[in-house]
């Protein structure tokens, strides 16, 4: 048996009386056309009906708790459908907390069900196939869209409209679906789950505000300071290139790093934040020496998700630094 939970997103959106498509269909509607082809028993649950930008931390933890209960009740795997817009964040959050061997698959659609060539049914069917695949066990959370399988740790939404919008920049897809079967093409090391309080406590926790700020020419750090003054518990800065900011911004970030954890990620599409190449003011050696915590290979949204989760789970700055170092590194 595979459990299927629906959260909303384009895959569920149809046009009603008002303009534009909106979340509407539930889990049962999404499996109707594919359940026979899936060849496994499917248990459905409509968990939310929202655009994925409105998903809250509480809803995400409750969804995780639902998935865990389904596995405890005998599900061989779990599939969650949601919107594509924030899938790279939700899948990674669940991946950080998912401790089971059973696969947790996240899928979605780029085209609504009323559009020609709607990709929802094919994606849901492919997700069921991967969820039932023995080779998917012990791989953590995976995403399945456009017949490609990606690790939650790497996947990013890389296009606003194409059905092949999901990619793992700087890494490889883990596999693909061919003639209804899963072909695995890569493995990825799996870090242990983040130690966190029980799900009810985590869902009820006051999740701290951790804004992500992207550096741009002319950025002097004003927005970062305003964010900390307004209560940010930590900052993630997506620096240019290998993790660089301007000279004025570097002074502000160095000052802020004495007040809250400041994580240094990179705004470039792929590759890690550097640690020991550039020595000018505002470059990575200077920023790290002045207290910023490098995110390694974690993309800015992944680093932000990890930072917020750890703080919500009660981690201090040293624990955050250790987890960023561990989860941001690649084996050498
Ligand atoms: N455009 C989005 C999607 O692909 C809407 C959302 O993320 O909910 O589903």
């Amino acid at each position: 048996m595979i459990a299927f939970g629906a959260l909303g997103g384009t895959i569920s959106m149809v046009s009603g009386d008002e303009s534009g498509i909106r979340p509407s269909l539930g889990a049962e509607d999404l499996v109707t056309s594919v359940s026979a082809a899936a060849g496994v028993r499917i248990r459905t649950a409509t968990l939310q009906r929202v655009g994925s930008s409105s998903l809250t931390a509480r809803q995400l933890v409750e969804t995780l708790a639902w998935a865990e209960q389904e596995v405890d009740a005998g599900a061989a795997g779990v599939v969650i459908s949601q919107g594509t817009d924030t899938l790279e964040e939700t899948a990674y959050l669940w991946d950080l907390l998912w401790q089971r061997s059973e696969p947790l698959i996240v899928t979605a659609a780029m085209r609504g069900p009323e559009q020609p060539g709607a990709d929802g049914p094919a994606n849901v069917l492919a997700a069921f196939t991967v969820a039932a695949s023995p080779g998917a066990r012990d791989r953590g959370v995976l995403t399945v869209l456009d017949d490609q399988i990606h690790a939650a740790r790497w996947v990013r939404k890389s296009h606003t409209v194409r059905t092949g919008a999901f990619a793992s920049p700087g890494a490889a897809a883990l596999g693909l679906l061919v003639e209804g079967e899963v072909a695995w093409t890569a493995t990825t090391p799996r870090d242990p789950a983040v130690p966190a309080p029980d799900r009810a406590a985590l869902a009820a926790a006051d999740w701290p505000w951790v804004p992500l700020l992207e550096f741009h020419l002319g950025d002097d750090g004003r927005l970062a300071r305003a964010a900390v003054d307004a209560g940010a518990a930590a900052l993630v800065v997506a620096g240019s290139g290998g993790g660089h900011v301007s000279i004025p911004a570097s002074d502000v970030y160095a000052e802020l790093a004495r007040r809250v954890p400041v994580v240094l990620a990179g705004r470039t599409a792929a590759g890690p934040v550097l640690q020991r190449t550039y020595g000018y003011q505002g470059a990575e050696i200077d920023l790290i020496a002045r207290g910023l915590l490098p995110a390694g290979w974690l993309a800015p949204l992944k680093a932000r998700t990890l930072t917020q989760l750890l703080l919500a789970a009660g981690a201090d700055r040293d624990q955050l630094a250790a987890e960023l170092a561990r989860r941001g590194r690649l084996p050498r």
Side-chain angles (χ1 to χ4, degrees):
M1 188 268 289
I2 303 292
F4 176 63
L7 295 175
T10 296
I11 195 167
S12 74
M13 294 192 194
V14 295
S15 46
D17 299 338
E18 299 158 282
S19 62
I21 61 173
R22 288 152 189 260
S24 166
L25 305 182
E28 204 45 50
D29 306 308
L30 299 185
V31 298
T32 309
S33 66
V34 300
S35 54
V40 284
R41 196 160 67 81
I42 295 159
R43 189 157 61 204
T44 60
T46 301
L47 303 170
Q48 306 291 336
R49 286 177 212 254
V50 293
S52 70
S53 304
S54 293
L55 286 166
T56 64
R58 170 184 277 269
Q59 289 169 340
L60 296 178
V61 175
E62 286 170 353
T63 301
L64 181 80
W66 164 82
E68 290 168 338
Q69 281 157 17
E70 290 296 319
V71 166
D72 291 344
V78 179
V79 174
I80 296 171
S81 70
Q82 62 156 89
T84 57
D85 290 356
T86 62
L87 187 152
E88 65 200 280
E89 296 170 78
T90 60
Y92 186 53
L93 178 71
W94 291 323
D95 189 50
L96 288 168
L97 292 164
W98 187 246
Q99 299 178 355
R100 313 303 173 101
S101 288
E102 287 79 2
L104 175 54
I105 311 296
V106 189
T107 192
M110 293 297 291
R111 295 180 181 153
E114 297 166 323
Q115 270 187 277
D119 50 335
N123 287 348
V124 170
L125 179 58
F128 287 142
T129 306
V130 178
S133 159
R137 289 177 67 86
D138 293 313
R139 287 182 185 257
V141 177
L142 305 173
T143 69
V144 176
L145 296 103
D146 194 38
D147 284 339
Q148 274 203 323
I149 307 165
H150 290 276
R153 153 83 178 73
W154 288 100
V155 76
R156 294 169 84 171
K157 185 171 182 179
S158 307
H159 201 278
T160 52
V161 291
R162 287 180 45 210
T163 51
F166 284 82
S168 294
L174 296 186
L176 70 163
L177 285 110
V178 181
E179 298 184 317
E181 289 186 9
V182 185
W184 297 101
T185 53
T187 55
T188 190
R190 188 180 175 194
D191 288 317
V194 164
D198 69 65
R199 301 307 179 226
L202 192 58
D206 195 8
W207 285 56
W209 180 39
V210 179
L212 166 61
L213 303 172
E214 184 171 53
F215 174 77
H216 52 82
L217 277 181
D219 177 8
D220 60 5
R222 230 178 305 177
L223 191 55
R225 181 181 281 115
V228 173
D229 287 345
L235 297 179
V236 178
V237 54
S240 57
H244 306 150
V245 302
S246 65
I247 291 169
S250 73
D251 289 331
V252 174
Y253 279 117
E255 173 204 319
L256 296 176
R258 292 193 289 273
R259 295 169 61 188
V260 297
V262 180
V263 177
L264 179 64
R267 69 179 195 183
T268 311
V273 155
L274 300 176
Q275 306 222 19
R276 50 173 185 270
T277 300
Y278 292 101
Y280 57 85
Q281 185 174 350
E284 78 278 1
I285 293 175
D286 170 50
L287 294 173
I288 294 168
R290 293 203 279 168
L292 274 71
L293 306 173
W297 287 81
L298 291 173
L301 284 173
K302 311 284 184 191
R304 201 211 72 79
T305 300
L306 174 62
T307 301
Q308 189 187 31
L309 169 63
L310 287 167
L311 296 183
D316 60 21
R317 188 184 179 286
D318 289 347
Q319 289 165 326
L320 171 60
E323 287 294 321
L324 284 164
R326 181 223 288 255
R327 294 173 195 277
R329 59 108 179 82
L330 281 188
R332 295 200 174 196

